[in-house]
Amino acid sequence: MQTAEQIAPPSAERPVHYLNVDYGIRSWLFTKDHKRIALLYLFVITGMFFLGGLFALLIRLELLTPAADLVQADTYNKLFTMHGIIMVFFFLIPSIPAVLGNFVLPMMIGARDLAFPRLNLASWYIFVVGVVFTLWAVFTGGIDTGWTFYTPYSTIGSNTKVIPAAVGIFINGFSSILTGLNFIVTVHRMRAPGLTWLRLPLFVWALYATSIIFILGTPVIAITLALVGVERGFHVGIFDPALGGDPILFQHLFWFYSHPAVYIMILPSMGVVSEIVPCFARKSPFGYAFIAFSSLAIAFLGFLVWGHHMFVAGQSAYASLIFSFLSFAVAIPSAVKVFNWTATLYRGSVLLDAPMLYALGFIGLFTIGGLTGLFLASLGLDVHVHDTYFVVAHFHYIMVGGAVMGYLGGIHYWWPKITGRMYPETLARLAALIVFLGFNLTFFPQFILGYLGMPRRYHVYPDEFQVLNVMSTAGASILGLGYLLPMTYLIWSLRYGARAPANPWGATGLEWQTPSPPPTENFAITRPRSRRGRRSSRRRPRTSSMTRFSSTTRRGSACGSSS
Amino acid sequence: MTTHPGTAAHDMPHGDEAVGHVVPLPIYFAVFVTLLVFTGVTATVAFVDLGRFNIFVALTIAVIKASLVLLYFMHLRYSSRLTLLFVGIAFFWLGTMIALTMSDVVSRGWFGAAGLG
Amino acid sequence: MWVFLVTEILFFGGLFTIYTVYRSLYPHAFGHASSTLDLTLGTTNTAVLIGSSLTMALAVHTAQVSRNGRLIALFLCATMLLGGVFLGIKAVEYAQKFHEHHVPGPYFHWEGGDPQHVELYFSLYFVMTGLHALHMVIGEGVLAVLAIMALRGRFGPSYFTPVELTGLYWHFVDIIWIFLFPLLYLVERHS
């Protein structure tokens, strides 16, 4: 950089930022700005979330009574399948990485954008194509294999739209891979000078670990689902036992990805919590390195435990023993995180703002989800509660109680940065409480139901289970309300919310050093236009020039003493 | 494939920064000839009955060939440790996937009936 | 690019896992089925592909040391040509299989024992080589674009990243074949 850098003149009335720099649909659809792409993701993902939620609501309504009065068995099978596919592949997996990660990761490391902005936009389009395929499957008859696509039912048994759904997930997988690739290269190459690995915000560590799972796991599910498609489409036997195949092999390959996928959902959420807790406890994160490396440890161990989904599927007892043992090992890094968050809270000046409420909810619910996970990892117990509502409750505590809570917490936390507006705090706290209560009322009874032996995936059940099911359905209605409320007031705040300062929470991450909402190139100082010829657009400067990461800034995103 | 010089393979602090490491041409040809020889060997050895060692020999030769391509044609020998780490991770995970899956397949029936019976 | 190749390794890795499992379960069926493949064509193809890797490496080398766009393009075209020969031989092999009714599906026909698992082998054979061939076709397309760019003098010591990355991709496809060849063609040849 030979030329002197020029400080952009402070504009008088309306500062130009990434939202008002350009209007019109083209400026959004062809944007290469990671912040705008994040918002594009936000629109699609929110839509998918409410669609998946609608299916969940129908499921719960059917289960209100023991008999089949709302839907019949076939429809019910389709409902829970589509609920699972949409929520897992099109909401939970992309939610935090593609929305919040896309938005804040470059800012957190002091970069102007991701390493490959065009690739980033391409992954959004690929994602949308995947969504279109899946919606096509959903609206032209649905699919009833369960979100797991177990063979041979998915290849020869089912008469539903298996191939379009598999294609949708296959395509979506490429979007995940590209996002993961982008994040990894960005973290390696675009960090601000002086921002060493052990000073990275914990959210970045979590996203990095997630990206590793993306690039290592996703190709396996892609090839597996492609083979399901081939087997179904051309009647070529690969997994079908009638043609000499081994259906358990499908389960191995499926869970090789899909168990780590659980960590794709939960790790970014943990990252968000690791940002929020130190900020609202007004302390540095306790055990920074432990939290950071436990993310990597989870990503690593998460790949070694997939067999615990197959304890009763015909897997050998010897393999089950190994997988059971390894599954217990995953609890260690997860517990390290929980203990470190709690230690961060200890003697902090805890502020109970809405993001913090979600984070606290996360810690509690994730702990319950994790501990019941240990029950399920125990070989002997799992044989009894396998495929009961105990499992359903367990993974909803992880996915909804964990991942969704973290997502909502992150949305609230970074909302002022994203939109430049504050959300109404009182309403937000109320919503956080409603979500927490509604969630527990929905899923805690399911633990008991499962323990009593109610199997999952049936639309009818014996009369004696009705009380608990009614409680669960009531909770689901409250939970639904709890999700609609933030949606409403967040949209309201776009117009009527108070203007947000650059750093409303008194946090120390680099993303708070720039105005809310940030300018297109993230940080106020830009290089003069004349320098940005063809050559420099090809070889982009590695970092924003203002952000020499000073060693006085504390590591992680701990809050400064002043706010 | 984008046009950004964004890969780890490119930005290593080589001696010659602009072009990366230039492998001398004789090495390329030597590697090429070695690969051809190994191809011939593996095709010939396959007809000799070595019992269970046939597959072992075949895979060893394949691994050697792949390593040659990786190290010289793909310049891995001159790349950074980060690149090596990523390649190592990939093969490690592949090994994990195969090993743990096989741990199931091989041991079915060890304890009486298959599965948990 | 290496990160992308990591993904690709795992992508094929799924297939290799399936292959390992089935081969360990049904070694003899795989052996019989494998013996029907034409070893001459397979070995030739291996040599052809290795040759294409060499020309690809030479293209990268040329771009590293000179601005001679025509020479770069020449090596790229040679790579494409060898890749084309590979695909052509592959097509001949496929045609033979169709002719012998060894393609899995309703018309599959097998004289020897254990037809089910032989069919399984052929399913894997077609999926693995098919996916590999698909990668080759993509590579050929990229090479064509690169050759045109090279002729226009776009590459030289100051800028050759696309050539280098394509080279990595092409070598990767070669490596996959280096493993596919013994696994698919050389099962129990001696018996």
Side-chain angles (χ1 to χ4, degrees), chain A residues 170 174 177-178 180-181 184-185 214-220 222-224 226-227 230 234-247 249 253 256 534 538-539, chain C residues 1-15 17-19 21-22 25-26 104-106 115-117 119-124 127 131 154 158-161:
Chain A
F170 181 83
F174 282 97
I177 291 172
L178 294 180
L181 194 153
I184 287 181
V185 177
F214 270 145
I215 62 157
L216 286 170
T218 317
V220 178
I223 190 69
T224 311
L227 289 174
V230 167
F234 303 104
H235 302 284
V236 171
I238 290 169
F239 301 119
D240 180 2
L243 296 169
D246 180 0
L249 185 57
L253 293 171
F256 180 82
R534 226 177 109 214
R538 193 192 296 145
R539 298 179 178 268
Chain C
M1 189 68 194
W2 278 105
V3 182
F4 173 73
L5 291 185
V6 168
T7 297
E8 286 274 29
I9 290 175
L10 269 292
F11 193 67
F12 278 96
L15 287 173
T17 309
I18 297 176
Y19 174 88
V21 168
Y22 286 148
L25 288 175
Y26 318 112
Q116 261 197 350
H117 298 132
E119 187 172 359
L120 196 64
Y121 168 86
F122 282 115
S123 300
L124 280 174
V127 171
L131 192 65
R154 293 285 296 277
S158 58
Y159 180 64
F160 59 92
T161 310

Side-chain angles (χ1 to χ4, degrees), chain A residues 89-108:
Chain A
F89 292 107
F90 296 95
F91 173 71
L92 285 167
I93 288 179
S95 63
I96 297 185
V99 178
L100 296 174
N102 236 333
F103 196 94
V104 296
L105 181 122
M107 281 194 267
M108 280 184 152

Side-chain angles (χ1 to χ4, degrees), chain A residues 273-333:
Chain A
V273 172
S274 307
E275 293 292 318
I276 294 176
V277 166
C279 179
F280 290 91
R282 296 274 176 258
K283 276 177 69 186
S284 298
F286 181 89
Y288 167 88
F290 278 93
I291 301 185
F293 285 108
S294 63
S295 290
L296 292 184
I298 290 175
F300 171 70
L301 290 170
F303 271 102
L304 307 179
V305 303
W306 76 84
H308 66 217
H309 294 271
M310 302 159 54
F311 284 164
V312 297
Q315 180 180 238
S316 82
Y318 173 72
S320 295
L321 280 176
I322 295 178
F323 282 122
S324 177
F325 171 75
L326 289 170
S327 305
F328 280 102
V330 182
I332 298 169

Side-chain angles (χ1 to χ4, degrees), chain A residues 160-207:
Chain A
T160 51
K161 296 275 194 273
V162 177
I163 292 184
V167 168
I169 295 169
F170 181 83
I171 294 172
N172 178 29
F174 282 97
S175 165
S176 307
I177 291 172
L178 294 180
T179 305
L181 194 153
N182 221 335
F183 282 2
I184 287 181
V185 177
T186 307
V187 174
H188 272 285
R189 292 174 48 85
M190 315 256 303
R191 299 193 309 276
L195 185 55
T196 56
W197 280 90
L198 284 180
R199 283 179 181 157
L200 283 178
L202 288 164
F203 186 50
V204 175
W205 273 102
L207 286 175

Side-chain angles (χ1 to χ4, degrees), chain B residues 3 7 9-10 19 21-23 25 32 39 42 46-47 49 54-55 62 70 73-74 83 87 94 97-98 102, chain C residues 1-2 6 13-14 17 23-24 39 50-51 53 58 61 64 157 159-160 164 168 171 175 178-179 186 189-190:
Chain B
T3 52
T7 52
H10 181 70
V19 292
H21 189 91
V22 180
V23 181
L25 284 179
F32 172 66
T39 307
T42 189
F47 288 96
D49 190 353
N54 272 105
I55 176 75
L70 277 169
F73 281 179
M74 299 173 84
T83 313
V87 177
L94 179 59
M97 177 160 71
I98 294 178
M102 287 308 288
Chain C
M1 189 68 194
W2 278 105
V6 168
T17 309
R23 170 145 177 200
S24 77
L39 187 57
I50 290 173
S53 248
L58 293 177
H61 180 88
Q64 277 178 324
Y159 180 64
F160 59 92
E164 189 185 15
L168 288 178
H171 298 314
I175 288 180
I178 285 177
F179 281 102
L186 302 177
R189 280 281 171 181
H190 50 82

